[in-house]
Amino acid sequence: MAWAIRITIVPPKSDLRLNLAVVKDAENYRRRGKFEEVAFIFPNAPNIPITVNFGMKMPGWYDIIAFNDLAQQKDQPGIHKSGDYFHNLIKGEVEKGIPSSRIVLGGFSQGGSISIFAGLTSPYPLAGIFGLSSYLLLGESLPSLLTQEIRAANSSTPIFMGHGDVDPLVKPEWGAETAKVLKALGWKVDFNVYQGLDHSADPKEMDDLENYVPYTPENESITSCGSPQKYLASKEFSDKKVVLFAVPGAFTPGCSVKHLPGFIEHLSEIKAKDVDLVVVIAFNDAWVMSAWAKANGIKDEILFMTDTETQFSKSIGWTRGDRTGRYAMIIDHGKITYAENEAGGDLKMFRFHKSLDVITLFHKASSPASIRAHTLLKQISAHASETATEDQATDHTSQNKLQRTEFELNVTEDPPTSDQLRTILEYAGSGAGKAGQIVQGAADEADALKKLKEDPNRFQRPVIVDWNNGRVGKNMEHSRMPELKLIRKIVFGDKESEIMKMISQLPKETNSV
């Protein structure tokens, strides 16, 4: 996930040290290369009489009547005036050409409280709202302020709140009650409590804040990169039921055609089983994962994340070479309650009933072996489709049902893409000469990719690829094995699959091409 924010408006609290600390945080972000595309705006609070300061003037966004009772925070004119001020700030940025959906409003203490109020009542849709050591203003009258237009603008705006558990000024229960009220009103609130923290901020809180990444419509474009951020899975998963699945790579044929679409198609069924999050990880970087999500029309329904340097997959021993493995797990409030790795077999969790295996024949029309393989595969595919239809329409309760699997046959005379070739070489294995059997004269993967780019005709067709089961049938032109036996052996593996059971039950004339 990545920020797509242009403006962050941070109203400082009326404490010079904290004002400088907030500015310093922004400077630290710059030094660490964080939020380089973000402009920070730090408006100054006006000097107004503050009741708890004996009526003397000091910077403040509204009058503070008492420190010990939220119900006494009744400076409605001051609160509305400051709210209007921030609405006008946002309006000014919008008039400069910055979409409001790329603006985050937030702050500390009074600044955070007025940010929450102004954000909730803003007629402009915002990217996010945050309040640190803050509380809800005018809570009892808030529902009456939320017109239909305003609710429509910000009903889905995410809110981040952070609070120290020993804050002597803004009590932590005020923050907790604020989060409770806002959740009851329909907002998505991420409320975090920090042990031993008083009325101040600490690095952990800042880390959590920078990891808070709201989705924005302007980031829908596949060419929009954003700024990748860390996601603290151990923290985020601790109070949720999560389905996590891993694939060897984004945009790879099997993963794009079979595995990911299954989860997208059945997402509502998965969520109906009290699942809070569905997460997909792969070895690709955050930009590629973000683009893969956009290519599939996904916003935040499924979280697309990178397993950086496959550290997590390596820690559990489930990798495919340098890539993440293909596995799935259920994490229930921080505990793994189900985990299965597709170690050369077929992972049950990826097997959705409407998904078909995808088999590609990289065809060479002038090759007799390729023509025979093409004919055989077409016959097998047609027979599988007919049988699948019969199975659906017939009652088999009183007979032994034949094991057959329908699959999608893809035939192309084009050479594979670079990503496809990497996958084919991975399936073929890393033994001596393997790369050369796929790309003529190639010594290894890097050499194969280079030679294919220089001359696509070096790709030694015919090649059959079972993307879903990780098997590849290499050049059959000079093989001494009959095509049917070869398909059994090098495409579908030594262990007979359902497809091969179907092959064995085909009429004999079908086996002779």
Side-chain angles (χ1 to χ4, degrees), residues 250-264:
F251 293 106
T252 55
C255 301
S256 291
V257 175
K258 172 70 175 296
H259 299 117
L260 178 61
F263 279 91
I264 294 174

Side-chain angles (χ1 to χ4, degrees), residues 14-86:
S14 55
D15 182 318
L16 180 59
R17 292 171 300 170
L18 288 172
N19 289 354
L20 294 176
V22 172
V23 174
K24 189 174 181 62
D25 283 326
E27 293 172 348
N28 286 336
Y29 288 146
R30 292 284 188 263
R31 283 195 294 271
R32 290 185 290 151
K34 300 285 188 179
F35 309 126
E36 293 180 339
E37 77 282 19
V38 175
F40 291 90
I41 298 176
F42 299 100
N44 293 312
N47 284 307
I48 61 172
I50 302 294
T51 298
V52 296
N53 195 34
F54 305 104
M56 292 187 291
K57 288 187 176 182
M58 60 181 293
W61 295 108
Y62 51 86
D63 187 15
I64 300 176
I65 311 299
F67 275 128
N68 59 355
D69 189 356
L70 265 183
Q72 293 190 46
Q73 305 292 343
K74 295 286 189 180
D75 181 17
Q76 291 196 32
I79 292 169
H80 282 290
K81 182 178 180 180
S82 291
D84 291 341
Y85 171 77
F86 285 103

